[in-house]
C-alpha cells in the first residue's frame, strides 16, 4: 500500500492542524479490509450521482464527469493499477480522492446529500446481498451431490446410530438425505435474511437525513433494493442484517461440521464405511500407511471461526448508542471471513463427497452387528402376539441377552431358544431378524 502523508486530511481535515499520529492512522484505517467492497462502492456512487442529476442537485455535466471518472476507477481497480492508501482510511475516501485526481472539482459534488455513514451501510448491504446469492448457489451444488448419492444408495443398508451406538438399520440414502434437508433450511434461512438485507440506507446521510430534495425511492430502485429504509437513524446504525448473515453462515457451517465428523468416523479403518479419494485426503510425513481426512477435519475445525465471527459482531454491537459509531467498522472483517470460510467448506465437502466411495458390504455387516433388529423383533411380538409393547421390550431384552451370551446374531438363535423365553413365538419371526430380507 502506498504511503502518502500529504493526502491525510484532504477529506475531513479542514479543522485539523496536523496529520493523525501513525498509530491513529493504523487503528483508524479499514482499507486493508473494505477495499473488497470497491465494486459496491462504485455502484452506490453511480446511483447516487444519477439521482443528484435527476433532481437537479448537480448539473448534467458534473454528473457525466463523475460517472466517467467512476468508470475509469473501476477499470483501474480491475486491472490492478489503482493504488490504495491507508492515509485515505477506507474504500470510500480512496475512490473519492482518485475521482478528484481524474475529474477535478466536480468530484467534490458527489458527496452532496450523502455521508460515509449511509454510504458504507449501503455498500455493505450490497456486498452481503451478493454474498448470499453466491452461497445459495454453492449450497445447491452440494445438495445436488447429496441427492445423487442418496439415490444411488437408497437400498444400501447401514446401521443408524443413537449415542453413536448401533440403533436400527437404515439406508445410507436416508442418512445423506438428512443433510440435504438441513441444507434446504440453510438455504431458506439465507433467502429470508436477504429480504431484510435488501433495504436501502442511502439518503439517511450522517443520521438525520438531508435538506436536499433527494429521491430515495429512485436510488433504492437503481440499486435493486426493495425500498429505502424508513428511519434515517436506523438506516445508518443497523447491523442486524450482518449478524443474521453471520448466524446463517454459522448454522450452515455447523451442519457441514456434523457431516464432516461422520465422514471422519466412517473413514477410520475401524468403521471402513467410506473411502476418500486420494485427491481429498492427505498422508503422514512419518507413518506411510496413513490416509487422513484432513478436508473433513478442517471443515469441522473452521466452524469455530463461523461461530466466533457471530459472537464478535454481537459483542461489538451490544451496547452501541444510536446512531453510527466507529466500532461498527469492525463489522466487515468477520463477515468477509465467514463468507470465505463457508464457501471453502461447501466446496470442499462437495468435492470430497462426489469422489468418495462407500463400502456397502462393510456397512451391511455393521448393520447386522449390535442387535439392530431388536426393535423390529419387539414390534413383531406386538403385532403378531398382541403383546403390550413394554412386555415385548422385556421379552426382546431377554432374547438379546441370550444371543449376546452365545456370541451370535439374533437370526442365528434357534427357534426353540427363543420359545424358551416366549412360547408363542413362531418361525415367522426370522423374517424381521435379518436386516436384509
Ligand atoms: N470506514 C467506515 C466504516 O466502515 C466508514 C464510515 C465512517 N464514518 C464516520 N463517521 N467516520 O464504518
Amino acid at each position: 500500500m502506498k504511503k502518502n502523508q500529504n493526502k491525510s486530511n484532504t477529506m475531513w481535515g479542514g479543522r485539523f492542524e496536523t496529520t493523525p499520529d501513525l498509530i491513529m492512522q493504523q487503528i483508524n484505517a479499514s482499507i486493508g479490509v473494505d477495499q473488497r467492497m470497491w465494486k459496491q462502492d462504485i455502484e452506490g456512487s453511480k446511483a447516487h450521482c444519477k439521482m443528484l442529476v435527476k433532481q437537479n442537485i448537480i448539473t448534467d455535466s458534473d454528473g457525466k464527469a463523475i460517472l466517467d471518472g467512476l468508470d475509469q476507477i473501476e477499470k483501474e481497480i480491475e486491472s490492478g493499477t489503482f493504488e490504495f492508501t491507508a492515509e485515505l482510511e477506507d474504500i470510500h475516501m480512496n475512490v473519492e480522492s482518485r475521482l478528484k485526481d481524474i475529474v477535478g472539482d466536480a468530484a467534490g459534488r458527489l458527496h452532496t446529500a450523502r455521508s460515509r455513514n449511509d454510504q458504507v451501510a449501503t455498500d455493505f448491504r450490497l456486498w452481503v446481498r451478493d454474498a448470499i446469492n453466491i452461497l445459495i448457489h454453492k449450497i445447491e451444488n452440494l445438495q445436488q451431490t447429496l441427492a445423487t448419492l442418496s439415490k444411488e444408495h437408497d437400498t444400501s443398508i447401514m446401521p443408524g446410530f443413537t449415542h453413536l451406538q448401533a440403533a436400527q438399520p437404515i439406508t445410507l440414502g436416508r442418512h445423506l438425505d438428512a443433510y440435504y434437508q438441513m441444507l434446504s433450511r440453510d438455504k431458506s434461512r439465507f433467502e429470508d435474511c436477504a429480504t431484510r438485507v435488501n433495504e436501502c440506507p442511502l439518503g439517511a446521510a450522517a443520521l438525520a437525513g438531508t435538506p436536499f430534495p433527494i429521491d430515495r425511492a429512485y436510488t433504492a430502485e437503481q440499486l435493486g433494493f426493495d425500498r429505502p429504509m424508513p428511519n434515517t437513524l436506523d438506516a445508518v446504525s443497523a447491523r442486524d442484517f450482518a449478524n443474521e448473515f453471520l448466524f446463517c453462515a454459522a448454522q450452515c457451517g455447523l451442519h457441514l461440521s456434523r457431516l464432516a465428523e461422520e465422514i471422519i468416523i466412517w473413514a477410520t479403518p475401524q468403521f471402513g464405511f467410506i473411502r476418500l479419494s486420494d485427491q481429498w485426503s492427505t498422508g503422514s510425513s512419518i507413518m506411510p500407511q496413513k490416509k487422513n481426512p484432513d478436508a473433513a477435519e478442517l471443515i469441522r475445525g473452521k466452524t469455530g471461526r463461523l461461530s466466533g465471527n457471530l459472537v464478535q459482531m454481537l459483542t461489538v454491537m451490544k451496547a452501541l448508542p444510536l446512531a453510527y459509531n466507529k466500532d461498527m467498522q469492525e463489522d466487515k472483517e468477520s463477515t468477509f471471513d465467514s463468507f470465505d470460510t463457508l464457501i471453502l467448506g461447501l466446496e470442499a465437502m462437495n468435492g470430497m463427497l462426489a469422489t468418495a466411495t462407500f463400502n456397502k458390504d462393510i456397512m451391511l455387516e455393521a448393520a447386522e452387528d449390535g442387535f439392530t433388529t431388536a426393535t423390529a423383533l419387539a414390534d413383531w411380538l406386538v403385532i403378531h402376539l398382541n403383546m403390550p409393547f413394554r412386555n415385548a421390550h422385556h421379552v426382546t431384552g431377554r432374547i438379546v441377552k441370550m444371543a449376546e451370551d452365545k456370541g451370535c446374531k439374533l437370526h442365528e438363535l434357534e427357534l426353540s431358544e427363543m420359545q424358551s423365553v416366549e412360547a408363542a413365538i413362531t418361525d415367522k419371526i426370522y423374517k424381521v431378524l435379518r436386516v436384509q430380507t
Side-chain angles (χ1 to χ4, degrees), residues 30 34 90 92 116-117 120 324 329 332:
S30 57
D34 63 23
D90 55 25
H92 324 295
R116 270 189 297 159
N117 296 351
V120 71
Y324 179 84
Q329 180 165 277
K332 285 162 224 72

Side-chain angles (χ1 to χ4, degrees), residues 87-102:
E87 289 77 9
L88 288 164
E89 280 183 40
D90 55 25
I91 183 62
H92 324 295
M93 298 207 292
N94 270 267
V95 169
E96 195 185 319
S97 168
R98 178 69 188 132
L99 190 63
K100 186 160 194 296
D101 293 343
I102 302 171

